[in-house]
Amino acid sequence: MKKSMSSGPKLTSLKILGQAPKQWRSLEERAGSSDIETERRYEFPPDADTLDETSRRGFIHLMGASLALTGAACTRPNQKVVPYVKQPPEVTPGNALHFATAYALEGYAMGLLVDSHSGRPTKIEGNPDHPDSLGATSVYEQALPLGLYDDHRAKQLAHKGQPLAWRSFLAHIAGRGIELAKDGGAKLRFLVEPSTSPLVAELKGRVLQKFPKAKFVSFSAVASDGAAEGARLAFGKPLEARHDLTKAQVILSLDADFLTDGPEQVRLHREFSAGRTPSHDMSRLYVVEPCLTPTGTMADHRLRIRGSEVVAVAQAVLAELAKQPGLDGLSALAGLPRAQPQIRVDARWAAAAAKDLVTARGKSLVIAGRRQPAAVHALAHAMNAALGNIGTSVTFRTGVRHDALAGSEALRGLVEEIAAGGVDTLVITARNPVYGAPVDFKLDKLLSRVGETMYLALHEDETAAAVTTIVPAAHSLESWGDARGTDGTASIIQPLIAPLWSSVTEADLLAAFVGEGDRGTYQLLKTYWQRQATTQGWSTMPGFEGTWESWLSKGVIDRTAIAPETPRVDGGLTAAVGGLLSKVPAGGEIEVSFAVDHKVFDGRFANNVWLQELPHPITKITWDNAILLSRTTAKVQEIETGDIVRVEIGDRHVTGPAYIQPGHADESVTIALGYGRKGAEARGVGIGFNANLLRPSDAPWFTRGARLAKTARPRHRFGITQDHWAMEERQPAIATTLKEFESKKGEVHELIEARRRPNPVIHTPVDYSKQPYKWAMAIDLSKCSGCNACVMGCASENNTPVVGRENVRIGREMFWIRLDRYYTDKGLNDFDDDHLETITQPHMCMHCETAPCEYVCPVNATVHSDEGLNEMVYNRCIGTRYCSNNCPYKARRFNFLDYQDAISPVEKMHRNPNVTVRSRGIMEKCTYCVQRIESKRIDARVEGRAIKDGEIQTACQQVCPGGAITFGSLNDAEAKVTKLHEDERRYNLLHELNTRPRTAYLARIRNPNPELS
C-alpha cells in the first residue's frame, strides 16, 4: 500500500508493456483519507509519544526520575549471577552450542539446528541436510523458543482438578487397563494428532495388540482430506504427493498457497525462487484463489474466484488440455457436465494456461490446495499424469503419515460412538479438538458422556476444561521423539533443555497403556531405532552408539526415505469424479471461506506473542483476524473497513470487524481460523473471534448461504503496520516484465538507471579500500513473497520486544524489519481487482554511507564504523528521536515503554546473550547482525585468515526460504553481494536523497504470458 519516505522529487512512474504508468498506492491514499494526510505531516502517528493514563502527579514523578537519570539512557534492573559449581567442559560462556533436531507440524518433520547458550535454546535455524528445510524455516519454527518459555503452559498433571503424580497416574492407567482388557478395549478410543513418527506408530501397534478392539482416530482442524481422497480416486489408494518446482517451468495453482502453507512450504519456496531469475527458461505461475495470498502476489497471472468455484476453472483448463494433440486421454473427464454451468470462467485465461502447460509438457505442474475437495485434487492428478509430470515435478508415496484422513469425516465416527455410549475411556493427544472440531459435533458437551477423558495438553485450553485428566505435554524443544519429512526421511527429535515443568510426550502416554510409561521416551526411542539399525544393517560405525551419535549430529537418518511410486490413473476415475461434481453447490449466495492463519495456524500458536504481533503478510493486521471481503461486495452490503459485521449461516453466527481486501472474490468472505480462544492461555484469550463457530462438518472450508449484517457497534480500529507512515507518492518498489527487461530500453530501465547513477557529493567519500571489509546487503524482490520469516528470525536473534495491539495502533511496533506491501494503481479511477499486481518489499536500516541520522544525534549515539556499518551505541542514547525524524526510510524503533522487563523470568530465558537487551528510552534498529560479524571475525583471527564470502549470514538472510537476501563484503570482487550490486536490476531506495544506502534492491521481474498481457 504505502510507506514512509521523506520529502524529495517525485520519480517517473512505472509503465509496463505500454500500459498507463503504474503507481504503488494504498486504498487510503487513493481515497484521500484524513488519517493519511495527518500521517504525512508528522513523523509518528497521532498519540505515538503519549503515555497511557498519565496523571499530573505521574507526569511530575516521571520528570523527577528523568532529572535523576540525566546522562543515562535508562535504568538497568538488578540481576543475580550464579556460577557453575563445575563448568561442563563443552560449555564456554559466550559461545553457543549447536544441536540438530526437528519439529513436527501436521506430523511432518522440519529439520532444525538450534543454538544453545549455557543450556538454554535461544535461536533456531533450518538444517541444510534436511530435505524439507534446506537451511531455512517458516515463522512457526522461528517462534518455537518463545513457546518453550511460555509461562502459561500447562504445568501440573491433574485428575478432576486435583494434582496427581506421574507414578500415581501410571498406577491409575494400569488399573484401568485391567478393566479395559476384559473386552479387548471395546470402549477405549484414542483421538490423536496426525503423525509420521515411527516410534509412535510402533506404540500404536502395541496398544492395539493389547486392546484389539480399541481404535485410533487422527484429527486436525486444518486437515487436507481432499488431497488424500483425490489421490484415492485417481490412483486407487491415498498416496501422498511431493512436488519439485525445480522441474516445473509452468505452474498452475488451484487455491494452493504453496509458498506459505503446508509441510512443503519452505522447500517449495526455495525451489520456486530458484526459477525466478530472469532468463529464457524463467518459470511462470498461474494462481486461482478466492483471497489474495503470498503465493498469489508472486503470480504472473492470477484469477480471483470463489473457493467452491475453483473446480469450474479446473474443468475448464482440463477441457482445453483435452483438445491438444496427445492428450485425448482426458476426453472422458472433459466430457463430464460442468459442476457449475452458471459460472463463467475466463475462456481466454483457461486456454492460455492450458497451452502453456502443454508447451512445458513433462516440466509443468498442476497443484491443488488443502482446502479444495477431492474432485479438484483428482482432476489435478489426471492433468499431471496426461502431461507427463508424474515422476518429475510430482512424485507419490504411501505410508508417510499413519492415517490418510484426519478431518471432520474421520472424527464423525468417533462422535457417533460417543453419542451412542460406546466410549468409556478417551485419550486425546490431538491439539485442542474441542476448539477445532466442527460446530455441529458439539464435542465439548459429548465429552461429558465419557467416563474417563485424558488430554495431553500444552496449555489449559478449551479441551482441557472439558476432560477429567490433564497431562501436561512436553514442548518439542524439551522432548525426545522422531518424525518423517515429506519424502519419508526420518529425523531424531532431541531435547535442548530439561523439561521446565513436569511434562511428558505422546510416546510416554501411549507407553503407559502397555506398561512402559516409566521407561521414558529416550529409552523407548533408542531401543526402537537400535532394532531398526540391526534389522536394516544401518550400523556403519563400531557399535550402535556411534551410529546413534551420527544421527543426532546430522539431524537426519540416512536411507530412511520412502521410495516413490509411479501410479497409473484408475479406470473408474471419470465415474467417481462425475459423482462428486454432481454434488457441487450452485452459486448465487454469499460464501464463507475459512483459511489457515499465517500466524497462529489453527490456534495452537495463539499464545505466542511474537506471532500475534507479526503483521499478516497481506493485510498487515496484527493481534486480530477479520472478515475479509471485496470492494464490490462491501459496496453492495454497505460495509466499510472496521465495521462490526454479523455473519450468519442458518442458526450459527459470528461477529467481527470487516476488512476490505483488494483482489478478493466477489460474493464471498474469508475468515482466518485460530482466534477467539478461551481458557487459560493468557495472551491468546479474547483476541479476534472464533470462526469455528460457523464451520460445519460437511463443508469445513467453503460454505454457502451466508448473510451479512452491519451492526451498530463502534467501528473497530485494527493494529495495522502498513499505514503508519506515508510514502509521499513515491515508488520504492520496482517491477517489470521479462519481455521489457530483456528489451534493454523503456521507462523501467530509465527508472533503474536514475536510481543507481552517482550523485554529486559535498564531502570526500570514505576510502574503504584500506579496510578489509565493506559490508553490504542485496535484496532480490523477485524472490520475496512477504512470508515474514525474516521478520521473525530478526526478532528472535535480536531480542526484539513486543508491544501489544494498543501500542501497535499508535505506531510503537518494534520489529526491526518491515515488510511493506504495495498494490498497483494503473492510473485508473480504481484498482483493477481482476488484474491486481502486488509486491512486497523488506525495509530495514539501509546502513547509509551518508546517513542522515548520524549528524543530528547530539550525543554521538549513532555512528559509522570503519567498515561501513551504521551503529547504535545504546548506552549513549538519551532518546531524543532526532535520528528517527531524520531517517527517510523510517527504519528506527523507539522503546517508548519498558517492554523488556514486563515479562516473567522464565520468558526472559529465550534472549540471545550476544545481543544487548534494550530498556526504555533508547532507539534501536537493524545492525546487520553485528554480533555475528564479530563472532566470525574472532574465528578468522584465531585461524589467521580472512572472513570468507558467505561465512557470515545475517539472521534474516539465513532464515529466508526464498534466498532473497544476500550479505557480504563489497571489497571482495567475487562475493555474491558484489555481483548483485553490479546486476542490471539493482537500484537504490530513495537514491535522489543521496544517502547512498548499503542495502540495494533488485527489481522484481514477472513472466506473464504474452497471450494474456
Side-chain angles (χ1 to χ4, degrees):
M1 291 169 73
K2 58 182 183 51
K3 264 303 164 186
S4 65
M5 302 294 153
S6 292
S7 59
K10 181 178 179 180
L11 295 180
T12 305
S13 59
L14 182 62
K15 182 183 289 185
I16 298 181
L17 295 178
Q19 297 172 352
K22 294 184 181 180
Q23 294 181 355
W24 302 101
R25 302 173 62 199
S26 71
L27 295 172
E28 292 78 8
E29 281 186 298
R30 179 180 51 76
S33 167
S34 59
D35 291 339
I36 296 300
E37 295 304 316
T38 301
E39 289 161 4
R40 281 178 172 167
R41 264 187 232 110
Y42 300 101
E43 177 203 358
F44 287 94
D47 302 324
D49 58 349
T50 60
L51 294 174
D52 297 333
E53 301 179 0
T54 302
S55 63
R56 179 178 180 275
R57 181 184 181 91
F59 176 76
I60 297 299
H61 176 76
L62 290 172
M63 287 298 296
S66 300
L67 292 173
L69 295 170
T70 300
C74 53
T75 59
R76 302 288 180 184
N78 293 326
Q79 297 179 336
K80 294 181 180 179
V81 179
V82 180
Y84 288 110
V85 175
K86 182 178 180 181
Q87 180 173 308
E90 71 275 9
V91 174
T92 301
N95 291 345
L97 297 177
H98 310 280
F99 297 89
T101 184
Y103 172 67
L105 182 63
E106 301 186 78
Y108 296 98
M110 181 66 66
L112 306 176
L113 297 179
V114 185
D115 290 359
S116 176
H117 289 88
S118 301
R120 293 182 299 109
T122 58
K123 182 68 174 69
I124 286 177
E125 307 295 352
N127 185 350
D129 292 327
H130 193 274
D132 283 319
S133 171
L134 304 179
T137 70
S138 71
V139 295
Y140 304 126
E141 288 79 30
Q142 286 299 310
L144 284 178
L146 200 65
L148 168 67
Y149 301 118
D150 182 1
D151 207 15
H152 300 93
R153 283 172 49 192
K155 301 174 182 177
Q156 175 64 56
L157 195 158
H159 177 69
K160 294 183 179 180
Q162 298 301 313
L164 190 67
W166 175 246
R167 290 195 175 277
S168 300
F169 178 67
L170 292 180
H172 172 71
I173 289 181
R176 189 84 178 175
I178 294 174
E179 293 297 319
L180 293 170
K182 293 178 179 179
D183 59 358
K187 292 189 175 184
L188 172 62
R189 297 293 180 267
F190 293 84
L191 181 59
V192 298
E193 184 83 355
S195 176
T196 64
S197 166
L199 173 62
V200 169
E202 185 199 47
L203 288 171
K204 287 181 179 179
R206 293 176 61 189
V207 170
L208 291 177
Q209 285 180 350
K210 184 175 181 179
F211 306 102
K213 295 183 181 180
K215 293 180 183 178
F216 282 86
V217 177
S218 291
F219 174 73
S220 169
V222 295
S224 54
D225 281 4
E229 281 296 296
R232 186 182 60 80
L233 290 176
F235 308 121
K237 51 184 176 180
L239 299 173
E240 297 180 40
R242 189 174 194 265
H243 306 91
D244 186 351
L245 299 188
T246 63
K247 300 174 181 177
Q249 215 166 343
V250 177
I251 306 163
L252 171 60
S253 166
L254 300 173
D255 192 26
D257 182 18
F258 57 83
L259 295 182
T260 54
D261 181 38
E264 295 185 273
Q265 61 178 286
V266 172
R267 175 176 50 80
L268 292 185
H269 202 319
R270 180 64 55 90
E271 294 173 354
F272 177 75
S273 296
R276 298 301 284 183
T277 301
S279 65
H280 69 280
D281 59 350
M282 182 178 177
S283 66
R284 181 173 294 148
L285 174 61
Y286 297 84
V287 173
V288 183
E289 61 185 10
C291 185
L292 190 62
T293 65
T295 302
T297 67
M298 301 294 283
D300 299 299
H301 297 285
R302 178 179 177 271
L303 188 64
R304 65 185 183 111
I305 195 167
R306 294 196 293 184
S308 64
E309 297 170 357
V310 171
V311 63
V313 180
Q315 282 190 279
V317 173
L318 186 143
E320 293 294 331
L321 287 175
K323 299 176 184 178
Q324 302 296 322
L327 298 180
D328 52 357
L330 294 173
S331 298
L333 284 170
L336 291 172
R338 293 294 174 91
Q340 298 171 323
Q342 77 284 357
I343 302 300
R344 294 184 179 181
V345 177
D346 188 336
R348 181 166 165 260
W349 198 97
K355 184 178 179 181
D356 238 1
L357 290 168
V358 172
T359 302
R361 188 180 301 189
K363 296 184 294 183
S364 57
L365 178 65
V366 181
I367 178 172
R370 78 160 77 222
R371 301 190 299 178
Q372 288 303 309
V376 175
H377 284 270
L379 293 175
H381 295 324
M383 286 188 275
N384 282 323
L387 290 166
N389 296 330
I390 295 180
T392 56
S393 59
V394 59
T395 55
F396 293 91
R397 290 168 176 80
T398 185
V400 181
R401 280 209 318 195
H402 303 165
D403 300 308
L405 301 180
S408 57
E409 290 308 309
L411 183 60
R412 187 185 302 278
L414 176 62
V415 167
E416 291 173 352
E417 285 188 311
I418 295 175
V423 180
D424 183 60
T425 302
L426 177 63
V427 181
I428 304 173
T429 65
R431 186 60 67 93
N432 200 2
V434 165
Y435 169 78
V439 62
D440 51 306
F441 284 171
K442 297 181 173 58
L443 192 59
D444 55 339
K445 297 180 180 179
L446 280 178
L447 290 183
S448 62
R449 302 185 184 184
V450 182
E452 180 81 18
T453 48
M454 309 173 189
Y455 177 40
L456 186 67
L458 194 63
H459 294 89
E460 294 184 14
D461 50 29
E462 292 87 342
T463 303
V467 299
T468 56
T469 304
I470 301 173
V471 183
H475 190 274
S476 178
L477 293 177
E478 57 186 15
S479 304
W480 285 100
D482 57 3
R484 294 186 184 273
T486 57
D487 70 344
T489 298
S491 296
I492 300 296
I493 300 172
Q494 62 172 319
L496 274 294
I497 192 173
L500 298 177
W501 297 283
S502 178
S503 56
V504 298
T505 66
E506 181 181 20
D508 288 325
L509 185 56
L510 294 179
F513 283 84
V514 293
E516 296 186 4
D518 57 350
R519 283 191 64 189
T521 304
Y522 175 74
Q523 289 298 331
L524 293 167
L525 183 70
K526 192 172 182 180
T527 300
Y528 170 82
W529 281 106
Q530 187 169 9
R531 287 199 308 269
Q532 295 300 309
T534 302
T535 303
Q536 302 295 333
W538 290 338
S539 296
T540 58
M541 302 178 69
F544 175 70
E545 288 299 326
T547 302
W548 176 255
E549 291 298 327
S550 69
W551 291 347
L552 294 180
S553 176
K554 189 174 182 180
V556 296
I557 302 177
D558 293 328
R559 294 176 288 181
T560 53
I562 298 174
E565 301 182 19
T566 307
R568 295 182 177 275
V569 175
D570 191 272
L573 175 61
T574 301
V577 171
L580 292 177
L581 294 178
S582 65
K583 300 176 182 179
V584 174
E589 299 174 322
I590 292 179
E591 176 175 289
V592 176
S593 171
F594 301 99
V596 178
D597 190 67
H598 288 91
K599 303 186 298 174
V600 301
F601 196 62
D602 59 356
R604 69 185 60 202
F605 301 115
N607 207 41
N608 193 302
V609 292
W610 278 350
L611 292 171
Q612 285 283 10
E613 192 150 304
L614 188 68
H616 186 279
I618 303 299
T619 65
K620 301 303 172 184
I621 293 174
T622 64
W623 294 93
D624 253 321
N625 61 341
I627 299 169
L628 307 181
L629 67 168
S630 71
R631 287 171 301 155
T632 300
T633 302
K635 184 176 181 181
V636 170
Q637 299 289 331
E638 298 182 346
I639 294 173
E640 297 181 9
T641 291
D643 286 342
I644 306 301
V645 176
R646 180 183 173 97
V647 182
E648 298 180 352
I649 301 177
D651 60 350
R652 305 185 302 273
H653 73 275
V654 297
T655 302
Y659 181 89
I660 299 174
Q661 175 60 56
H664 197 285
D666 297 332
E667 295 185 320
S668 172
V669 298
T670 298
I671 306 176
L673 303 171
Y675 291 85
R677 300 297 309 280
K678 298 179 180 179
E681 297 188 83
R683 295 191 181 96
V685 172
I687 297 172
F689 59 96
N690 184 5
N692 288 306
L693 297 178
L694 282 180
R695 292 182 83 192
S697 58
D698 58 348
W701 292 112
F702 311 108
T703 182
R704 294 284 182 88
R707 300 179 300 277
L708 306 182
K710 183 170 67 174
T711 69
R713 290 166 55 181
R715 183 170 293 177
H716 180 76
R717 184 182 177 188
F718 290 107
I720 300 178
T721 60
Q722 182 76 28
D723 298 332
H724 286 168
W725 298 277
M727 76 179 205
E728 300 293 343
E729 299 184 358
R730 289 183 176 80
Q731 298 174 57
I734 298 179
T736 187
T737 65
L738 180 62
K739 181 179 179 180
E740 182 165 351
F741 177 73
E742 290 180 338
S743 70
K744 307 296 183 182
K745 58 184 178 180
E747 288 191 33
V748 170
H749 288 277
E750 294 175 5
L751 186 60
I752 292 175
E753 181 59 30
R755 296 191 180 186
R756 61 187 296 170
R757 69 169 64 101
N759 287 330
V761 294
I762 61 175
H763 64 277
T764 302
V766 177
D767 182 9
Y768 288 97
S769 63
K770 299 178 181 179
Q771 299 296 329
Y773 310 106
K774 181 181 179 181
W775 303 116
M777 181 176 283
I779 301 175
D780 190 343
L781 299 183
S782 288
K783 299 182 178 182
C784 177
S785 70
C787 71
N788 274 324
C790 59
V791 180
M792 201 84 294
C794 174
S796 178
E797 171 76 16
N798 293 294
N799 302 325
T800 306
V802 296
V803 301
R805 177 167 54 189
E806 296 305 316
N807 281 302
V808 171
R809 284 173 174 171
I810 56 177
R812 292 176 176 175
E813 65 268 17
M814 295 297 295
F815 288 148
W816 290 0
I817 299 178
R818 187 180 77 239
L819 287 179
D820 289 348
R821 180 262 300 117
Y822 306 108
Y823 299 126
T824 51
D825 185 341
K826 299 183 180 182
L828 306 176
N829 294 328
D830 223 340
F831 289 124
D832 184 353
D833 283 308
D834 289 322
H835 301 91
L836 187 73
E837 291 182 9
T838 314
I839 188 169
T840 301
Q841 184 175 44
H843 285 264
M844 64 283 283
C845 177
M846 298 289 144
H847 293 268
C848 306
E849 189 60 41
T850 54
C853 57
E854 293 175 1
Y855 52 78
V856 296
C857 180
V859 291
N860 212 30
T862 178
V863 295
H864 219 72
S865 77
D866 294 337
E867 297 172 351
L869 296 184
N870 179 251
E871 298 179 331
M872 274 298 304
V873 184
Y874 296 131
N875 286 340
R876 293 179 186 170
C877 180
I878 60 173
T880 63
R881 292 186 287 155
Y882 295 162
C883 58
S884 180
N885 184 62
N886 225 37
C887 174
Y889 305 99
K890 295 296 172 256
R892 290 171 169 261
R893 301 290 180 262
F894 184 68
N895 261 314
F896 282 94
L897 300 173
D898 192 3
Y899 309 114
Q900 292 281 18
D901 289 313
I903 58 178
S904 70
V906 172
E907 292 171 306
K908 293 178 183 180
M909 291 173 67
H910 72 79
R911 291 173 175 170
N912 181 356
N914 293 328
V915 178
T916 303
V917 176
R918 290 79 56 191
S919 296
R920 179 183 175 189
I922 58 176
M923 192 66 65
E924 57 185 72
K925 65 171 190 68
C926 161
T927 64
Y928 273 169
C929 287
V930 66
Q931 69 278 4
R932 295 191 173 199
I933 296 175
E934 295 306 315
S935 176
K936 292 300 181 183
R937 193 195 309 275
I938 293 171
D939 292 343
R941 283 176 177 170
V942 169
E943 298 172 14
R945 59 174 177 82
I947 299 175
K948 302 174 184 177
D949 182 42
E951 187 175 359
I952 298 173
Q953 287 187 306
T954 60
C956 57
Q957 174 189 9
Q958 188 167 5
V959 72
C960 179
I965 302 173
T966 303
F967 178 79
S969 172
L970 294 179
N971 280 348
D972 182 355
E974 299 302 318
K976 186 177 179 181
V977 71
T978 304
K979 301 294 185 184
L980 292 176
H981 271 244
E982 296 169 352
D983 191 280
E984 56 184 332
R985 290 189 290 142
R986 174 256 180 173
Y987 70 95
N988 292 334
L989 190 59
L990 295 186
H991 180 70
E992 68 275 17
L993 298 183
N994 208 25
T995 60
R996 298 164 63 199
R998 283 289 179 81
T999 296
Y1001 292 91
L1002 276 68
R1004 172 176 286 189
I1005 306 298
R1006 302 182 187 275
N1007 186 22
N1009 189 332
E1011 296 184 11
L1012 293 177
S1013 299

